[in-house]
Amino acid sequence: MNVESWITVEETPALAAEAMAVIDARLARLTDAERDAFWASIRKAYNTPYNDPEKPAQPKPVEPAWAAPASPDRCRGCCR
């Protein structure tokens, strides 16, 4: 999908660097860790629509020791 823009491809890196410098100047009151967290949240927000989040691993059900055996021939003798 083509998007109209007044910014040329050649201008993009310089404009991006200038924008980051202005934002960093405003964030100067924050610690380095807070500033890093800010930029991490911006990258996450920017990438989220394009990348599906990873689903957390589902825990596997654990059969309790007192559970009835699946078939009579597999009885462990615990219920006698």
Side-chain angles (χ1 to χ4, degrees), residues 21-32 34-35:
V22 169
I23 294 169
D24 276 335
R26 296 291 293 174
L27 298 176
R29 63 185 170 80
L30 303 177
T31 65
D32 287 342
E34 291 171 327
R35 197 173 308 118

Side-chain angles (χ1 to χ4, degrees), residues 10 13 20 24 31 34-35 38 40 42 45 48 53 55-56 62 64:
E10 294 79 21
M20 285 185 68
D24 276 335
T31 65
E34 291 171 327
R35 197 173 308 118
F38 171 82
I42 295 298
T48 296
K55 295 185 180 188
V62 177

Side-chain angles (χ1 to χ4, degrees), residues 22-73:
V22 169
I23 294 169
D24 276 335
R26 296 291 293 174
L27 298 176
R29 63 185 170 80
L30 303 177
T31 65
D32 287 342
E34 291 171 327
R35 197 173 308 118
D36 290 342
F38 171 82
W39 285 117
S41 68
I42 295 298
R43 284 189 296 276
K44 179 174 175 32
Y46 178 78
N47 287 323
T48 296
Y50 305 104
N51 301 321
D52 291 334
E54 290 184 22
K55 295 185 180 188
Q58 296 295 322
K60 294 181 181 176
V62 177
E63 182 180 331
W66 51 265
S71 65
D73 59 304

Side-chain angles (χ1 to χ4, degrees), residues 63-69 72 74-80:
E63 182 180 331
W66 51 265
R74 298 186 70 204
C75 184
R76 297 182 300 247
C78 61
C79 54
R80 293 183 199 185

